[in-house]
Amino acid sequence: MGKVVLITGGSSGIGKSVGEFLTQKGFAVYGTSRNPEHIENHPFKLVALDVNNSESISKAVEAVILAEGRLDILVNNAGMGITGPIEETPTSEMRKVFDTNLFGAIDVMKAVLPQMRKQKSGLIINITSIAGYMGLPFRGLYSASKGALEIVTEATSMEVKGFGIKVISVAPGDFATNIAAGRYHAPLLDDSPYKKPYGDTLDLMNTHVDNGSDPDMMAKSVYRIINTPNPKGHYKVGEFMQKFSIVLKRILPDKVYEKLLMKHYKL
């Protein structure tokens, strides 16, 4: 029997690509969507799950375990984007992105860990972002939420390693997905002092996503990680310069790195 995989946010984008690839490789794959009944001809099974609703998380995890008798791998992929100047982004929207990208991911981990402990084995892959390794202008809240998930991943890994459970993160760069469609954009205000720099940065971000890598790259990376006996704690997947930007942040003085970012975003 193939291993049983649960992928949150499995109806489109990276989640769908990962699920489709693992299904072809013989895994028993369950994706999640808030409204799976609206999705037809999906390449693998979908269950209803809203990462902001603990009851829905519990029901989805219970349904998979009831159907398969086990749960081997969680790919914590569900997330949302947010853009805007920190000063002009509503705090309520900031809370929403943390509820989804951080607390939602934590709640799904909490739901699968009892079964994995019972099995004395399991793998949790938290999908973060290369953006989580640096504060990006007008994407600060997204960067912060993904950076927080990186740290939570490290802590959880140490807490559950003794139960035979591995917890790692995979940080993608820009991929050609529909993430921009579900992203919260703080409005471009005519009287805003940020109107031009924010507008220009927004156009650049959308171009990066439109010209991003094929999500199949992520699918193949996740497959390789699953088949690695002793995976690393953190993986980065994307174009060379996106991954190298993390190295530059480590080795360059803060002011030099900031200048590089500001030049890239034409600020």
Side-chain angles (χ1 to χ4, degrees):
M1 285 180 60
K3 290 184 177 180
V4 180
V5 185
L6 176 64
I7 303 173
T8 65
S11 62
S12 63
I14 287 173
K16 182 179 179 182
S17 292
V18 171
E20 191 167 11
F21 191 81
L22 294 182
T23 298
Q24 293 167 359
K25 295 295 183 180
F27 290 77
V29 179
Y30 290 79
T32 77
S33 169
R34 282 175 293 183
N35 299 293
E37 67 277 6
H38 297 159
I39 300 169
E40 297 180 355
N41 302 318
H42 202 67
F44 51 91
K45 296 174 185 175
L46 288 176
V47 294
L49 187 151
D50 179 351
V51 297
N52 292 314
N53 184 312
S54 56
E55 184 179 352
S56 122
I57 293 171
S58 297
K59 284 184 178 178
V61 171
E62 287 169 6
V64 173
I65 294 169
L66 185 64
E68 301 289 342
R70 60 186 298 111
L71 205 171
D72 301 295
I73 301 160
L74 166 66
V75 181
N76 238 338
N77 169 71
M80 65 174 289
I82 184 170
T83 66
I86 298 293
E87 182 182 352
E88 294 181 352
T89 303
T91 302
S92 59
E93 296 296 335
M94 296 180 182
R95 294 185 193 282
K96 282 181 187 176
V97 80
F98 271 85
D99 282 343
T100 299
N101 292 355
L102 178 63
F103 296 113
I106 290 171
D107 283 345
V108 180
M109 284 198 293
K110 289 166 73 173
V112 305
L113 280 169
Q115 177 64 30
M116 290 182 173
R117 268 203 320 278
K118 182 180 176 182
Q119 297 166 185
K120 297 183 174 58
S121 68
L123 173 64
I124 295 174
I125 300 174
N126 288 328
I127 305 298
T128 58
S129 173
I130 286 177
Y133 284 83
M134 61 204 73
L136 296 178
F138 307 110
R139 288 178 73 187
L141 271 301
Y142 180 76
S143 290
S145 68
K146 291 297 190 176
L149 185 55
E150 287 279 354
I151 297 300
V152 165
T153 299
E154 290 181 358
T156 310
S157 172
M158 291 183 279
E159 292 171 1
V160 303
K161 198 176 291 288
F163 305 122
I165 303 167
K166 299 165 187 170
V167 186
I168 70 162
S169 70
V170 179
D174 290 317
F175 281 84
T177 69
N178 62 350
I179 187 172
R183 181 191 286 157
Y184 172 81
H185 296 288
L188 273 169
L189 303 173
D190 287 334
D191 60 348
S192 169
Y194 302 103
K195 182 181 178 183
K196 186 178 188 323
Y198 174 38
D200 291 346
T201 302
L202 202 52
D203 290 340
L204 188 62
M205 282 189 277
N206 290 335
T207 300
H208 287 167
V209 172
D210 292 341
N211 298 325
S213 303
D214 189 326
D216 282 351
M217 183 192 294
M218 273 291 288
K220 291 172 183 175
S221 295
V222 169
Y223 177 68
R224 283 195 297 270
I225 292 165
I226 288 171
N227 286 293
T228 300
N230 293 298
K232 299 186 298 182
H234 302 278
Y235 291 85
K236 291 88 179 174
V237 181
E239 299 299 328
F240 171 79
M241 280 309 299
Q242 293 173 354
K243 294 187 287 185
F244 190 57
S245 65
I246 299 173
V247 178
L248 289 176
K249 183 173 172 60
R250 289 198 196 107
I251 63 176
L252 291 177
D254 291 347
K255 288 185 178 180
V256 174
Y257 190 76
E258 183 181 70
K259 283 182 180 178
L260 282 177
L261 275 182
M262 293 185 74
K263 183 178 180 181
H264 175 73
Y265 285 100
K266 299 178 173 60
L267 296 175

